[in-house]
Amino acid sequence: MTEILSLKPEDKERLNSHALERMNEWQGRILSRVPQLRQLSEEQVTNDLATYLDENEIAEFQKCLADIRRWLSECMDTGDRYLSYAYATWVVTPMSRVEHLVAKAYQAKEDEKEWNTAYNAVNPPLRDAKMYFTDEEYKGFVKAAGQAIHARIEKGEDYLSDARSLDYRRYLERIRDRKEKERQLFIAKVAAQEFNRQLNGEKVRLRALLSPNRKGLEGYFRKQIKDRRYSGQDFSRLLSKKEKQDFDNILVGVSRSRAEELVSKDFRSFVASECWRSFFLLPSADYILEEVPCLSFIFEVFAVVETGVWLKPGQKQFNGYVFDFPWGEKKDSSSVKTPEFLGYHHFVLTPEELGGWSFWQDIPLVILRGLLSGETRPSGTVITSASNDEMTYKVEGFEEEVEIPTQFAEYLKHIGSIDGMVGMGIMSKKVGNIVQTALAELVAKQVTPPANEKSGKRNSVKDRVFHLFDKGKRPGDAEVKSFGIKPNTAYRYYQEWKKTQNPT
């Protein structure tokens, strides 16, 4: 600046002394207001003025400077004599304007420096604001940041406690909240991606574990059980409706449990299943003496279960964010909207697992002997009804009628003998020997009834049990059990005995 306003040495010698005095005084005033001008070159001052003054102010500065130079030129080569032009008052205005404009420019520069220092101290997060705010919010943030910077200039480090920084603090909190939500969402997305990867892995594992096709349940049962008692017969219709319902209730629970065991715990809510079942009844027999010698049949109930398994759509929450699953492995894959079939799971439920024992009925040996031989009407029996599905027999001395399904009769015919029943595992060898002896006695038995029957005395097991009931015994007492009859038979005898005590 000194280069712009000062005179060359030779010009100083030529300048009127009063004009030089005015010139030095004017220059001194400027330097006192803007001391940094002493260290600045003409180029630096020119750049500063161009930076901090607008175009009109620059034009005014140049004009005033030209007027001052014109005044100086009129004051040259006049010596020390009085020169009225050296005392001209019009030059005061351009001098004053130059002084003002220079002071204004460097005050603006100083203000900018102070602003920049405060700005750097406040360091408003403009990039975050641009990212997390709407355009309208961003404008409000910039305005609030400006107020906080002004407070920083005046209050220093304690600027945040100033009322002017209140809005700025609120905007900062809003940014922090949204950044934290974004962070939590990012964490949730990473967790969801990992879960989906594992879920797709579980899907692959289940596909490998399950069968892609349905199986014939009868063939599957035969292969899995390998029980000699099974030869393709279907006795499931011998189950009552209530028994089937009870078994189904157990079966559904076990099937669901088995399906869950296939699937890892974390993914069970994304797997659905549906089961189909077939019951297979295998006979077992024990000897019992009722009114006549009998075989007491029960059925061991097995079930073959075929369970279809699907991967179904579902939702899971991570960090408070809900995600739909599953989706494909590709980044642009969308979530699956319909269940995806994975395969079939097959297993057999044993009587122990199913609680599957069903008492069927007692069959007199006289009927059994004939059926094993393939007789439609065994000797010593009367057919009371017949159809394609079953025959009903009456045996002398046996109170109840005996219904034999045609399929069971064919089953016994196929077996052919007591030894065959023992060989197939329907009865033990010990029971088989007892039955063989009882059958031999039936063959050797005389047509005439025993003496005790002629006399009308009670001598059958049933009569002797009735006699115990007469004495106050009950079905569960040891004396009743000693006859070797089954609990349900003892209970049935007891109900019949009560009817004889209270005839209607």
Side-chain angles (χ1 to χ4, degrees):
M1 184 66 196
T2 55
E3 296 178 5
I4 295 176
L5 301 178
S6 62
L7 298 172
K8 295 178 181 179
E10 59 270 24
D11 290 337
K12 283 185 179 181
E13 293 177 0
R14 296 171 53 204
L15 186 62
N16 178 271
S17 60
H18 182 71
L20 179 60
E21 184 180 345
R22 292 182 71 183
M23 181 69 179
N24 289 336
E25 182 182 345
W26 171 66
Q27 186 179 23
R29 287 198 308 271
I30 294 176
L31 291 175
S32 67
R33 293 183 67 178
V34 190
Q36 58 266 44
L37 290 176
R38 291 187 176 91
Q39 286 80 38
L40 300 177
S41 66
E42 180 179 353
E43 182 181 1
Q44 289 174 316
V45 172
T46 301
N47 289 337
D48 287 342
L49 294 176
T51 301
Y52 298 105
L53 296 179
D54 61 31
E55 292 181 359
N56 293 331
E57 289 173 326
I58 290 294
E60 182 185 4
F61 177 82
Q62 296 295 345
K63 180 180 180 304
C64 291
L65 204 58
D67 289 343
I68 295 171
R69 284 173 177 158
R70 182 167 53 83
W71 173 72
L72 290 172
S73 67
E74 295 294 334
C75 296
M76 294 293 179
D77 300 322
T78 60
D80 292 332
R81 63 183 175 82
Y82 174 78
L83 179 66
S84 62
Y85 201 76
Y87 292 89
T89 58
W90 65 266
V91 78
V92 173
T93 299
M95 284 183 170
S96 176
R97 291 302 299 161
V98 167
E99 179 183 342
H100 169 75
L101 290 172
V102 170
K104 179 182 179 182
Y106 280 91
Q107 183 60 50
K109 184 176 182 179
E110 187 64 28
D111 290 344
E112 182 184 68
K113 180 180 178 180
E114 192 175 33
W115 175 271
N116 289 337
T117 301
Y119 177 89
N120 291 332
V122 173
N123 192 24
L126 295 177
R127 182 179 297 178
D128 287 344
K130 199 72 175 175
M131 183 182 301
Y132 297 109
F133 289 153
T134 63
D135 291 344
E136 202 63 33
E137 286 178 314
Y138 183 76
K139 291 178 182 177
F141 171 77
V142 171
K143 181 178 179 181
Q147 293 173 338
I149 292 170
H150 282 298
R152 178 67 171 78
I153 292 172
E154 294 183 18
K155 293 291 187 71
E157 294 182 358
D158 197 32
Y159 74 98
L160 286 175
S161 62
D162 190 275
R164 287 170 291 181
S165 299
L166 178 61
D167 288 340
Y168 179 67
R169 292 202 308 270
R170 289 173 177 168
Y171 277 111
L172 290 181
E173 289 175 5
R174 200 178 302 173
I175 290 175
R176 282 194 295 269
D177 289 344
R178 294 180 185 180
K179 287 183 75 171
E180 178 61 20
K181 286 181 179 179
E182 183 182 61
R183 189 181 76 86
Q184 293 298 329
L185 177 59
F186 175 78
I187 293 172
K189 285 182 177 179
V190 171
Q193 289 172 353
E194 175 60 18
F195 180 82
N196 189 70
R197 185 190 68 78
Q198 294 177 3
L199 181 58
N200 283 317
E202 181 74 0
K203 179 178 71 174
V204 173
R205 187 185 73 83
L206 288 174
R207 281 191 185 279
L209 188 66
L210 300 172
S211 170
N213 302 313
R214 302 192 74 167
K215 295 182 179 181
L217 300 188
E218 189 274 337
Y220 182 79
F221 175 73
R222 188 190 295 271
K223 181 179 179 180
Q224 295 295 318
I225 296 299
K226 298 178 181 177
D227 194 304
R228 290 170 295 172
R229 291 175 290 174
Y230 184 70
S231 59
Q233 72 280 359
D234 180 11
F235 296 144
S236 61
R237 76 179 190 87
L238 299 180
L239 292 175
S240 68
K241 183 177 180 180
K242 183 179 184 308
E243 285 177 317
K244 287 184 179 180
Q245 184 176 353
D246 290 343
F247 288 143
D248 276 339
N249 289 339
I250 297 171
L251 185 147
V252 169
V254 174
S255 174
R256 185 178 295 114
S257 177
R258 291 283 183 93
E260 287 182 352
E261 289 173 4
L262 290 175
V263 185
S264 301
K265 183 178 179 181
D266 291 340
F267 309 116
R268 288 175 184 172
S269 61
F270 294 91
V271 173
S273 63
E274 181 180 357
C275 68
W276 300 266
R277 57 90 177 126
S278 287
F279 291 116
F280 294 87
L281 279 62
L282 301 185
S284 178
D286 286 316
Y287 175 78
I288 185 171
L289 181 63
E290 296 282 357
E291 293 89 345
V292 296
C294 298
L295 274 186
S296 181
F297 280 89
I298 67 168
F299 284 107
E300 296 177 13
V301 183
F302 295 78
V304 175
V305 182
E306 182 177 65
T307 304
V309 180
W310 285 263
L311 182 69
K312 66 177 182 178
Q315 293 182 326
K316 188 173 176 63
Q317 191 177 94
F318 294 94
N319 273 10
Y321 295 92
V322 178
F323 295 86
D324 293 322
F325 294 99
W327 67 78
E329 294 290 352
K330 296 181 180 178
K331 290 184 178 180
D332 57 349
S333 296
S334 57
S335 59
V336 177
K337 302 299 183 184
T338 57
E340 180 181 357
F341 182 71
L342 301 181
Y344 296 98
H345 177 52
H346 301 86
F347 59 92
V348 175
L349 288 179
T350 64
E352 289 78 10
E353 295 170 306
L354 197 58
W357 287 275
S358 175
F359 172 74
W360 182 32
Q361 65 177 337
D362 297 332
I363 300 179
L365 292 186
V366 66
I367 298 177
L368 186 72
R369 180 185 61 185
L371 295 178
L372 287 170
S373 301
E375 300 174 11
T376 302
R377 181 185 174 185
S379 177
T381 68
V382 176
I383 298 176
T384 58
S385 66
S387 69
N388 289 333
D389 295 329
E390 66 181 17
M391 301 281 261
T392 303
Y393 297 94
K394 181 65 179 174
V395 175
E396 185 179 356
F398 193 71
E399 184 174 335
E400 298 177 358
E401 291 186 338
V402 181
E403 296 178 354
I404 302 296
T406 300
Q407 191 179 39
F408 190 74
E410 291 296 324
Y411 180 68
L412 291 178
K413 179 181 177 180
H414 173 75
I415 295 171
S417 66
I418 297 300
D419 287 340
M421 294 178 71
V422 172
M424 292 179 68
I426 295 175
M427 66 178 70
S428 67
K429 186 175 182 180
K430 178 180 179 180
V431 172
N433 291 335
I434 294 173
V435 172
Q436 293 280 27
T437 301
L439 285 174
E441 291 175 353
L442 282 176
V443 173
K445 187 176 181 182
Q446 298 297 323
V447 177
T448 56
N452 60 348
E453 288 189 12
K454 288 182 179 180
S455 63
K457 293 182 180 178
R458 292 178 179 176
N459 200 29
S460 69
V461 171
K462 183 175 180 180
D463 290 339
R464 283 179 282 174
V465 171
F466 272 33
H467 181 65
L468 289 176
F469 292 157
D470 290 338
K471 296 170 65 174
K473 300 300 181 181
R474 294 293 181 267
D477 291 342
E479 292 86 343
V480 176
K481 291 181 179 179
S482 67
F483 287 103
I485 60 177
K486 290 186 174 293
N488 58 345
T489 302
Y491 181 76
R492 175 162 48 82
Y493 285 171
Y494 185 65
Q495 297 300 319
E496 293 178 9
W497 173 81
K498 286 202 296 184
K499 291 179 181 179
T500 64
Q501 305 302 305
N502 301 290
T504 57

